[in-house]
């Protein structure tokens, strides 16, 4: 098993001792995937204080070598950590540990739990649809498309700073990407759903400012990553950034579902 490079923070030195075979053994004994187990392992270390705020995680290649897993597993695990608000990925720099989240867990009420099933279905559609749209937008965008995206990002930031709702600005950003594809059907599909595309517009408790004040800031940072890739006409990076953004939304919702279902089962018992 390869060891991690010396550039890691002192608090992450223990990661070189992780045995990838143990991870696979756990996965073979239960229903949890390697990605789930890897994200849980890192999440536990962050919550225990073994990894601190600002620490840089090993690179994707280092995690692949150390845990002896595929890049797909590593990317999915990191996406789950991002969705849980434990880490953030900065383009071209790395993935860093965020401040410890509030202890209050995300919870859906009975109505929202039912509604979330439909939201998940829409997110699955969006991941396949908008990932490709971002790639096409990077190849075909023109100056006016970039301007529309930039305005949407600035308006999002402005309304967020004022404590106002940001759903319409969020939608405007995604619609401007669809328009940049030059294929009207992308835009028509997104317009058909309208603001129902945005999960927090349908499930209020996904975003609770008092519990997670950085939620919308993280959302717009993900938007910025998408915009930067489209601006430099990097289609592969644009697809990857959009997939990460929408996958994070899906994982946040799944976390809320699992927590709520577990709580309801415990109460019934």
């Amino acid at each position: 098993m390869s060891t991690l490079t010396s550039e890691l923070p002192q608090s992450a030195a223990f990661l070189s001792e992780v045995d990838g075979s143990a991870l696979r053994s756990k996965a073979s004994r239960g229903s949890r995937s390697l990605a789930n187990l890897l994200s849980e392992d890192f999440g536990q270390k962050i919550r225990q204080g073994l990894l601190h705020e600002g620490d840089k995680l090993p690179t994707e290649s280092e995690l692949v070598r150390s845990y002896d897993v595929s890049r797909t597993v590593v990317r999915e695990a990191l996406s789950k950590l991002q969705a849980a608000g434990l880490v953030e990925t900065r383009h071209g720099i790395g993935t860093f540990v965020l401040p410890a989240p509030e202890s209050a867990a995300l919870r859906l009420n009975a109505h929202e739990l039912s509604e979330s099933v439909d939201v998940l279905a829409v997110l699955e559609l969006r991941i396949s649809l908008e990932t490709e749209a971002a790639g096409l937008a990077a190849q075909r965008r023109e100056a006016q498309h970039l301007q529309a995206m930039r305005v949407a990002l600035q308006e999002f930031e402005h309304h967020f700073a004022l404590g106002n709702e940001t759903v319409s600005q969020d939608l405007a950003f995604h619609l401007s990407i669809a328009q940049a594809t030059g294929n009207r059907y992308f835009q028509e599909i997104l317009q058909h759903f309208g603001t129902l595309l945005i999960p927090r517009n349908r499930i209020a408790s996904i975003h609770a400012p008092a519990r997670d004040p950085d939620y919308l800031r993280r959302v717009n940072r993900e938007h910025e990553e998408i915009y930067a890739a489209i601006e430099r006409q990097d289609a592969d990076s644009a697809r990857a950034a959009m997939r990460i953004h929408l996958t994070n939304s899906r994982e946040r919702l799944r976390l809320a579902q699992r927590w709520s279902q577990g709580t309801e089962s415990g109460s019934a018992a």
Side-chain angles (χ1 to χ4, degrees):
M1 179 178 65
S2 302
T3 57
L4 302 180
T5 64
S6 58
E7 70 177 12
L8 296 179
Q10 187 67 31
S11 59
F14 65 87
L15 292 177
S16 62
E17 302 170 3
V18 173
D19 185 0
S21 63
L23 199 71
R24 290 191 298 277
S25 177
K26 286 182 181 179
S28 66
R29 294 197 302 269
S31 59
R32 290 176 298 170
S33 67
L34 283 170
N36 281 333
L37 289 168
L38 183 56
S39 66
E40 288 170 9
D41 183 61
F42 269 89
Q44 184 177 22
K45 289 176 172 62
I46 291 171
R47 294 184 182 95
Q48 289 175 341
L50 297 175
L51 283 168
H52 304 113
E53 177 184 347
D55 281 350
K56 183 179 179 181
L57 297 191
T59 65
E60 184 178 288
S61 296
E62 289 166 342
L63 289 172
V64 166
R65 291 197 303 269
S66 296
Y67 283 88
D68 192 20
V69 294
S70 69
R71 288 184 180 273
T72 299
V73 167
V74 169
R75 288 169 181 170
E76 186 177 344
L78 291 177
S79 178
K80 291 177 184 296
L81 290 171
Q82 290 180 55
L86 296 176
V87 303
E88 70 169 349
T89 298
R90 303 170 192 167
H91 181 72
I93 301 176
T95 300
F96 297 84
V97 177
L98 289 171
E102 295 292 329
S103 58
L106 180 61
R107 182 175 184 176
L108 305 179
N109 60 37
H111 170 74
E112 289 182 328
L113 192 58
S114 174
E115 182 82 359
S116 68
V117 175
D118 187 43
V119 177
L120 272 176
V122 173
L123 279 169
E124 287 180 355
L125 172 66
R126 292 184 64 194
I127 288 171
S128 59
L129 183 75
E130 293 192 66
T131 294
E132 184 57 27
L136 291 174
Q139 295 170 338
R140 301 172 180 175
R141 96 294 187 276
E142 297 179 4
Q144 68 267 26
H145 300 133
L146 292 176
Q147 177 63 18
M149 292 176 211
R150 174 48 60 192
V151 168
L153 292 175
Q154 290 173 341
E155 286 294 306
F156 188 111
E157 190 68 28
H158 174 69
H159 284 272
F160 164 68
L162 294 176
N164 297 335
E165 184 54 72
T166 56
V167 170
S168 61
Q169 292 76 27
D170 197 329
L171 177 62
F173 176 72
H174 286 271
L175 284 173
S176 64
I177 292 172
Q179 187 174 27
T181 66
N183 183 330
R184 67 184 178 88
Y185 293 108
F186 281 104
Q187 188 173 6
E188 287 179 4
I189 290 173
L190 296 191
Q191 286 177 326
H192 171 74
F193 286 100
T195 57
L196 294 180
L197 282 174
I198 312 302
R200 65 183 182 277
N201 192 47
R202 301 174 69 180
I203 302 177
S205 64
I206 289 180
H207 166 48
R211 178 171 52 231
D212 189 1
D214 289 328
Y215 168 80
L216 291 177
R217 187 173 287 112
R218 289 199 303 274
V219 167
N220 218 30
R221 277 201 295 263
E222 292 168 7
H223 286 166
E224 290 282 0
E225 294 287 343
I226 299 166
Y227 172 83
I230 292 174
E231 182 182 37
R232 64 176 184 269
Q233 296 191 296
D234 184 342
D236 288 341
S237 292
R239 291 187 184 97
M242 180 64 81
R243 179 172 290 276
I244 287 172
H245 172 53
L246 295 176
T247 300
N248 284 349
S249 294
R250 183 184 65 187
E251 292 305 321
R252 279 188 283 264
L253 185 53
R254 283 179 172 172
L255 284 171
Q257 283 183 325
R258 286 198 295 268
W259 192 92
S260 297
Q261 289 168 339
T263 300
E264 289 181 3
S265 297
S267 299

